[in-house]
């Protein structure tokens, strides 16, 4: 499973769709739980791969989500990953307890372990569909991944906008928070949306926007789009950001 993910990242590079991890982990986990409860395939190659593969895919997805939460919202990585690891160990321990003592319980001829695994299957399916229902994982989790739904051109355009924003941020000396605000402005986000996504006060969001405008020496969103080159991105894909910036100030 890890090799498949590495190959996907190497081949697709920045267009790799991490949402696919949900689509991989869901069937593997469900098949693993079902095969263990019904057929007892816990120690064979097939069952073992499904268990390890589903667990690995979910683990990588959780790590990516946590990393993006740390980046987007400034959460302490030690605190967040420590909490995630602690919760994972707690639930693994509870799972072992349920599996061990559930066999002693019988409800209407159905073993307790079978009932517990059925509940686990439903929980995995519901949790996965909650993630997949988001157009982008950034809506809730702060992670911004390309959704890979055939819109390769749009994905490339997004990346070009991000690259231009980063180059402009370095050129004009923007802070890390101002750079985040710039990227949200480039996505046509309003001040209210910026306030919501960055978890900052309305006055703070307005102050960051004002500082960006002052450093760029512009006075409107249209001037900002011209500076970034959003409207002409397709026709000026090869034009360096420095030329756009120089032309604007000229």
């Amino acid at each position: 499973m890890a090799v498949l993910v590495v190959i996907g990242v190497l081949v697709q590079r920045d267009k790799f769709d991490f949402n696919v991890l949900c689509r991989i982990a869901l069937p593997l986990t469900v098949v693993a739980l079902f095969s263990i409860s019904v057929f007892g395939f816990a120690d064979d190659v097939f069952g073992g791969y499904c268990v390890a593969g589903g667990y690995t895919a979910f683990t990588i997805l959780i790590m990516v989500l946590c990393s993006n939460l740390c980046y987007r919202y400034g959460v302490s990585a030690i605190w967040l990953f420590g909490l995630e690891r602690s919760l994972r160990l707690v639930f693994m321990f509870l799972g072992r307890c349920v599996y061990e003592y559930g066999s002693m319980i019988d409800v209407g001829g159905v073993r307790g372990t079978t009932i517990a695994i059925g509940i686990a299957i439903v929980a995995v399916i519901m949790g996965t569909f909650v993630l997949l229902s988001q157009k982008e994982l950034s809506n809730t989790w702060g992670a911004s991944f390309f959704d890979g739904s055939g819109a390769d051109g749009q994905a490339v355009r997004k990346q070009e906008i991000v690259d231009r924003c980063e180059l402009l941020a370095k050129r004009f000396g923007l802070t890390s928070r101002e750079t985040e605000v710039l990227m949200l402005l480039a996505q046509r986000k309003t001040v209210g949306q910026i306030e919501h996504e960055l978890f900052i006060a309305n006055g703070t969001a307005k102050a960051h926007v004002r500082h960006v405008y002052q450093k760029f020496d512009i006075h409107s969103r249209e001037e900002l789009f011209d500076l970034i080159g959003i409207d002409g991105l397709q026709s000026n894909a090869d034009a360096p950001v420095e030329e756009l910036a120089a032309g604007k100030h000229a």
Side-chain angles (χ1 to χ4, degrees):
M1 179 55 61
V3 169
L4 289 176
V5 173
V6 170
I7 292 175
V9 172
L10 291 176
V11 173
Q12 295 291 319
R13 296 187 180 276
D14 55 358
K15 293 185 289 184
F16 179 71
D17 178 16
F18 279 95
N19 290 308
V20 75
L21 293 176
C22 289
R23 302 182 182 98
I24 293 175
L26 172 62
L28 285 178
T29 304
V30 171
V31 169
L33 292 172
F34 185 79
S35 63
I36 290 172
S37 62
V38 177
F39 304 108
F41 293 164
D43 299 322
D44 69 333
V45 175
F46 175 76
Y49 176 79
C50 289
V51 172
Y55 178 80
T56 302
F58 273 126
T59 300
I60 295 173
L61 180 63
I62 291 172
M63 290 177 62
V64 172
L65 292 176
C66 288
S67 298
N68 278 271
L69 283 170
C70 293
Y71 173 76
R72 284 287 299 277
Y73 304 126
V75 180
S76 169
I78 296 177
W79 180 86
L80 185 60
F81 279 92
L83 178 63
E84 181 274 330
R85 184 60 180 173
S86 300
L87 288 174
R88 191 192 311 180
L89 291 174
V90 167
F91 279 97
M92 288 173 65
F93 173 76
L94 292 176
R96 292 191 181 98
C97 291
V98 170
Y99 189 77
E100 181 177 353
Y101 296 107
S103 58
M104 304 177 186
I105 302 173
D106 188 285
V107 181
V110 181
R111 290 186 306 167
T113 51
T114 302
I115 297 174
I117 289 176
I119 295 173
I121 291 175
V122 173
V124 169
I125 293 175
M126 291 180 62
T128 303
F129 277 110
V130 167
L131 286 176
L132 294 180
S133 66
Q134 304 292 330
K135 292 182 179 178
E136 287 185 350
L137 293 177
S138 58
N139 291 354
T140 303
W141 303 98
S144 180
F145 306 137
F146 299 125
D147 60 20
S149 56
D152 289 341
Q154 183 179 2
V156 172
R157 187 170 182 272
K158 278 186 177 182
Q159 188 60 46
E160 289 177 339
I161 292 175
V162 170
D163 292 341
R164 287 172 179 258
C165 287
E166 290 177 346
L167 287 173
L168 284 171
K170 292 179 181 179
R171 178 181 175 84
F172 290 93
L174 268 59
T175 64
S176 58
R177 180 61 85 181
E178 289 170 353
T179 302
E180 289 182 324
V181 171
L182 172 62
M183 291 186 179
L184 292 175
L185 289 172
Q187 298 173 39
R188 305 181 186 274
K189 302 284 187 180
T190 65
V191 173
Q193 291 172 322
I194 294 174
E195 168 193 353
H196 175 74
E197 289 209 19
L198 298 182
F199 290 97
I200 57 178
N202 183 267
T204 304
K206 290 181 178 178
H208 285 312
V209 172
R210 184 170 62 252
H211 293 159
V212 171
Y213 280 26
Q214 289 174 347
K215 290 183 178 182
F216 285 176
D217 191 22
I218 58 177
H219 304 89
S220 68
R221 188 73 69 97
E222 288 73 24
E223 289 182 284
L224 178 64
F225 290 161
D226 289 341
L227 183 62
I228 299 173
I230 290 178
D231 295 330
L233 202 54
Q234 296 299 329
S235 59
N236 298 304
D238 298 327
V241 175
E242 288 77 8
E243 291 182 8
L244 291 173
K248 178 61 189 174
H249 285 285

PDB file of all heavy atoms in Angstrom, residues 93-112:
ATOM      1  N   PHE A  93      -6.804  -0.420  21.618  1.00  0.00           N
ATOM      2  CA  PHE A  93      -6.942  -1.203  22.846  1.00  0.00           C
ATOM      3  C   PHE A  93      -8.399  -1.596  23.070  1.00  0.00           C
ATOM      4  O   PHE A  93      -8.703  -2.751  23.405  1.00  0.00           O
ATOM      5  CB  PHE A  93      -6.418  -0.399  24.037  1.00  0.00           C
ATOM      6  CG  PHE A  93      -6.676  -1.040  25.363  1.00  0.00           C
ATOM      7  CD1 PHE A  93      -5.924  -2.122  25.793  1.00  0.00           C
ATOM      8  CD2 PHE A  93      -7.687  -0.566  26.195  1.00  0.00           C
ATOM      9  CE1 PHE A  93      -6.163  -2.722  27.019  1.00  0.00           C
ATOM     10  CE2 PHE A  93      -7.939  -1.169  27.415  1.00  0.00           C
ATOM     11  CZ  PHE A  93      -7.174  -2.242  27.830  1.00  0.00           C
ATOM     12  N   LEU A  94      -9.320  -0.643  22.876  1.00  0.00           N
ATOM     13  CA  LEU A  94     -10.738  -0.943  23.040  1.00  0.00           C
ATOM     14  C   LEU A  94     -11.199  -1.990  22.026  1.00  0.00           C
ATOM     15  O   LEU A  94     -12.008  -2.867  22.343  1.00  0.00           O
ATOM     16  CB  LEU A  94     -11.566   0.334  22.891  1.00  0.00           C
ATOM     17  CG  LEU A  94     -11.404   1.388  23.996  1.00  0.00           C
ATOM     18  CD1 LEU A  94     -12.202   2.637  23.665  1.00  0.00           C
ATOM     19  CD2 LEU A  94     -11.830   0.818  25.348  1.00  0.00           C
ATOM     20  N   GLY A  95     -10.660  -1.896  20.803  1.00  0.00           N
ATOM     21  CA  GLY A  95     -11.018  -2.875  19.785  1.00  0.00           C
ATOM     22  C   GLY A  95     -10.585  -4.277  20.167  1.00  0.00           C
ATOM     23  O   GLY A  95     -11.333  -5.246  19.977  1.00  0.00           O
ATOM     24  N   ARG A  96      -9.383  -4.392  20.720  1.00  0.00           N
ATOM     25  CA  ARG A  96      -8.897  -5.714  21.153  1.00  0.00           C
ATOM     26  C   ARG A  96      -9.753  -6.261  22.299  1.00  0.00           C
ATOM     27  O   ARG A  96     -10.041  -7.462  22.369  1.00  0.00           O
ATOM     28  CB  ARG A  96      -7.440  -5.620  21.582  1.00  0.00           C
ATOM     29  CG  ARG A  96      -6.472  -5.339  20.432  1.00  0.00           C
ATOM     30  CD  ARG A  96      -5.028  -5.518  20.871  1.00  0.00           C
ATOM     31  NE  ARG A  96      -4.102  -5.234  19.784  1.00  0.00           N
ATOM     32  CZ  ARG A  96      -3.472  -4.075  19.622  1.00  0.00           C
ATOM     33  NH1 ARG A  96      -3.690  -3.094  20.477  1.00  0.00           N
ATOM     34  NH2 ARG A  96      -2.643  -3.894  18.620  1.00  0.00           N
ATOM     35  N   CYS A  97     -10.152  -5.362  23.215  1.00  0.00           N
ATOM     36  CA  CYS A  97     -11.001  -5.792  24.334  1.00  0.00           C
ATOM     37  C   CYS A  97     -12.353  -6.288  23.832  1.00  0.00           C
ATOM     38  O   CYS A  97     -12.860  -7.316  24.295  1.00  0.00           O
ATOM     39  CB  CYS A  97     -11.201  -4.636  25.313  1.00  0.00           C
ATOM     40  SG  CYS A  97      -9.720  -4.173  26.238  1.00  0.00           S
ATOM     41  N   VAL A  98     -12.941  -5.543  22.889  1.00  0.00           N
ATOM     42  CA  VAL A  98     -14.231  -5.946  22.345  1.00  0.00           C
ATOM     43  C   VAL A  98     -14.114  -7.289  21.647  1.00  0.00           C
ATOM     44  O   VAL A  98     -14.980  -8.167  21.779  1.00  0.00           O
ATOM     45  CB  VAL A  98     -14.765  -4.869  21.371  1.00  0.00           C
ATOM     46  CG1 VAL A  98     -15.995  -5.379  20.611  1.00  0.00           C
ATOM     47  CG2 VAL A  98     -15.127  -3.601  22.126  1.00  0.00           C
ATOM     48  N   TYR A  99     -13.035  -7.475  20.882  1.00  0.00           N
ATOM     49  CA  TYR A  99     -12.864  -8.728  20.140  1.00  0.00           C
ATOM     50  C   TYR A  99     -12.633  -9.907  21.098  1.00  0.00           C
ATOM     51  O   TYR A  99     -13.108 -11.012  20.859  1.00  0.00           O
ATOM     52  CB  TYR A  99     -11.681  -8.605  19.180  1.00  0.00           C
ATOM     53  CG  TYR A  99     -11.570  -9.776  18.225  1.00  0.00           C
ATOM     54  CD1 TYR A  99     -12.413  -9.883  17.128  1.00  0.00           C
ATOM     55  CD2 TYR A  99     -10.621 -10.773  18.438  1.00  0.00           C
ATOM     56  CE1 TYR A  99     -12.314 -10.946  16.257  1.00  0.00           C
ATOM     57  CE2 TYR A  99     -10.521 -11.854  17.571  1.00  0.00           C
ATOM     58  CZ  TYR A  99     -11.375 -11.928  16.480  1.00  0.00           C
ATOM     59  OH  TYR A  99     -11.290 -12.977  15.628  1.00  0.00           O
ATOM     60  N   GLU A 100     -11.899  -9.627  22.186  1.00  0.00           N
ATOM     61  CA  GLU A 100     -11.583 -10.711  23.119  1.00  0.00           C
ATOM     62  C   GLU A 100     -12.787 -11.114  23.961  1.00  0.00           C
ATOM     63  O   GLU A 100     -13.080 -12.296  24.118  1.00  0.00           O
ATOM     64  CB  GLU A 100     -10.433 -10.290  24.036  1.00  0.00           C
ATOM     65  CG  GLU A 100     -10.031 -11.365  25.027  1.00  0.00           C
ATOM     66  CD  GLU A 100      -8.834 -10.952  25.875  1.00  0.00           C
ATOM     67  OE1 GLU A 100      -8.249  -9.882  25.585  1.00  0.00           O
ATOM     68  OE2 GLU A 100      -8.493 -11.699  26.824  1.00  0.00           O
ATOM     69  N   TYR A 101     -13.493 -10.117  24.506  1.00  0.00           N
ATOM     70  CA  TYR A 101     -14.602 -10.413  25.407  1.00  0.00           C
ATOM     71  C   TYR A 101     -15.939 -10.513  24.683  1.00  0.00           C
ATOM     72  O   TYR A 101     -16.909 -11.008  25.242  1.00  0.00           O
ATOM     73  CB  TYR A 101     -14.681  -9.339  26.498  1.00  0.00           C
ATOM     74  CG  TYR A 101     -13.460  -9.318  27.383  1.00  0.00           C
ATOM     75  CD1 TYR A 101     -12.522  -8.288  27.267  1.00  0.00           C
ATOM     76  CD2 TYR A 101     -13.233 -10.332  28.312  1.00  0.00           C
ATOM     77  CE1 TYR A 101     -11.396  -8.267  28.064  1.00  0.00           C
ATOM     78  CE2 TYR A 101     -12.100 -10.314  29.124  1.00  0.00           C
ATOM     79  CZ  TYR A 101     -11.183  -9.282  28.990  1.00  0.00           C
ATOM     80  OH  TYR A 101     -10.061  -9.268  29.785  1.00  0.00           O
ATOM     81  N   GLY A 102     -15.973 -10.010  23.429  1.00  0.00           N
ATOM     82  CA  GLY A 102     -17.227 -10.082  22.685  1.00  0.00           C
ATOM     83  C   GLY A 102     -17.621 -11.502  22.347  1.00  0.00           C
ATOM     84  O   GLY A 102     -18.808 -11.812  22.192  1.00  0.00           O
ATOM     85  N   SER A 103     -16.636 -12.378  22.235  1.00  0.00           N
ATOM     86  CA  SER A 103     -16.935 -13.781  21.910  1.00  0.00           C
ATOM     87  C   SER A 103     -17.682 -14.476  23.040  1.00  0.00           C
ATOM     88  O   SER A 103     -18.296 -15.529  22.832  1.00  0.00           O
ATOM     89  CB  SER A 103     -15.637 -14.529  21.598  1.00  0.00           C
ATOM     90  OG  SER A 103     -14.747 -14.452  22.700  1.00  0.00           O
ATOM     91  N   MET A 104     -17.630 -13.895  24.229  1.00  0.00           N
ATOM     92  CA  MET A 104     -18.334 -14.488  25.371  1.00  0.00           C
ATOM     93  C   MET A 104     -19.791 -14.067  25.428  1.00  0.00           C
ATOM     94  O   MET A 104     -20.557 -14.600  26.234  1.00  0.00           O
ATOM     95  CB  MET A 104     -17.639 -14.073  26.681  1.00  0.00           C
ATOM     96  CG  MET A 104     -16.157 -14.417  26.734  1.00  0.00           C
ATOM     97  SD  MET A 104     -15.393 -13.828  28.257  1.00  0.00           S
ATOM     98  CE  MET A 104     -13.673 -14.215  27.959  1.00  0.00           C
ATOM     99  N   ILE A 105     -20.150 -13.091  24.583  1.00  0.00           N
ATOM    100  CA  ILE A 105     -21.510 -12.561  24.592  1.00  0.00           C
ATOM    101  C   ILE A 105     -22.269 -13.123  23.401  1.00  0.00           C
ATOM    102  O   ILE A 105     -21.737 -13.237  22.296  1.00  0.00           O
ATOM    103  CB  ILE A 105     -21.504 -11.018  24.525  1.00  0.00           C
ATOM    104  CG1 ILE A 105     -20.710 -10.449  25.705  1.00  0.00           C
ATOM    105  CG2 ILE A 105     -22.923 -10.463  24.512  1.00  0.00           C
ATOM    106  CD1 ILE A 105     -20.509  -8.952  25.631  1.00  0.00           C
ATOM    107  N   ASP A 106     -23.539 -13.458  23.626  1.00  0.00           N
ATOM    108  CA  ASP A 106     -24.373 -14.006  22.564  1.00  0.00           C
ATOM    109  C   ASP A 106     -25.727 -13.309  22.618  1.00  0.00           C
ATOM    110  O   ASP A 106     -26.402 -13.343  23.655  1.00  0.00           O
ATOM    111  CB  ASP A 106     -24.543 -15.515  22.733  1.00  0.00           C
ATOM    112  CG  ASP A 106     -25.241 -16.152  21.529  1.00  0.00           C
ATOM    113  OD1 ASP A 106     -26.461 -15.987  21.409  1.00  0.00           O
ATOM    114  OD2 ASP A 106     -24.540 -16.796  20.723  1.00  0.00           O
ATOM    115  N   VAL A 107     -26.106 -12.657  21.528  1.00  0.00           N
ATOM    116  CA  VAL A 107     -27.386 -11.941  21.454  1.00  0.00           C
ATOM    117  C   VAL A 107     -28.231 -12.572  20.359  1.00  0.00           C
ATOM    118  O   VAL A 107     -27.980 -12.356  19.168  1.00  0.00           O
ATOM    119  CB  VAL A 107     -27.176 -10.440  21.179  1.00  0.00           C
ATOM    120  CG1 VAL A 107     -28.533  -9.724  21.124  1.00  0.00           C
ATOM    121  CG2 VAL A 107     -26.289  -9.814  22.240  1.00  0.00           C
ATOM    122  N   GLY A 108     -29.225 -13.343  20.754  1.00  0.00           N
ATOM    123  CA  GLY A 108     -30.104 -13.978  19.779  1.00  0.00           C
ATOM    124  C   GLY A 108     -29.368 -14.894  18.827  1.00  0.00           C
ATOM    125  O   GLY A 108     -29.693 -14.956  17.635  1.00  0.00           O
ATOM    126  N   GLY A 109     -28.362 -15.575  19.318  1.00  0.00           N
ATOM    127  CA  GLY A 109     -27.596 -16.481  18.472  1.00  0.00           C
ATOM    128  C   GLY A 109     -26.493 -15.811  17.687  1.00  0.00           C
ATOM    129  O   GLY A 109     -25.785 -16.464  16.913  1.00  0.00           O
ATOM    130  N   VAL A 110     -26.331 -14.506  17.845  1.00  0.00           N
ATOM    131  CA  VAL A 110     -25.282 -13.754  17.142  1.00  0.00           C
ATOM    132  C   VAL A 110     -24.179 -13.398  18.132  1.00  0.00           C
ATOM    133  O   VAL A 110     -24.462 -12.838  19.200  1.00  0.00           O
ATOM    134  CB  VAL A 110     -25.846 -12.472  16.493  1.00  0.00           C
ATOM    135  CG1 VAL A 110     -24.740 -11.718  15.758  1.00  0.00           C
ATOM    136  CG2 VAL A 110     -26.994 -12.809  15.556  1.00  0.00           C
ATOM    137  N   ARG A 111     -22.957 -13.724  17.795  1.00  0.00           N
ATOM    138  CA  ARG A 111     -21.841 -13.423  18.682  1.00  0.00           C
ATOM    139  C   ARG A 111     -21.643 -11.927  18.844  1.00  0.00           C
ATOM    140  O   ARG A 111     -21.899 -11.147  17.925  1.00  0.00           O
ATOM    141  CB  ARG A 111     -20.554 -14.043  18.154  1.00  0.00           C
ATOM    142  CG  ARG A 111     -20.502 -15.566  18.228  1.00  0.00           C
ATOM    143  CD  ARG A 111     -19.128 -16.053  17.804  1.00  0.00           C
ATOM    144  NE  ARG A 111     -18.747 -15.536  16.503  1.00  0.00           N
ATOM    145  CZ  ARG A 111     -17.517 -15.600  16.006  1.00  0.00           C
ATOM    146  NH1 ARG A 111     -16.532 -16.119  16.728  1.00  0.00           N
ATOM    147  NH2 ARG A 111     -17.260 -15.140  14.804  1.00  0.00           N
ATOM    148  N   GLY A 112     -21.160 -11.541  20.021  1.00  0.00           N
ATOM    149  CA  GLY A 112     -20.917 -10.122  20.285  1.00  0.00           C
ATOM    150  C   GLY A 112     -19.877  -9.533  19.357  1.00  0.00           C
ATOM    151  O   GLY A 112     -19.961  -8.364  18.961  1.00  0.00           O
TER     152      GLY A 112
END
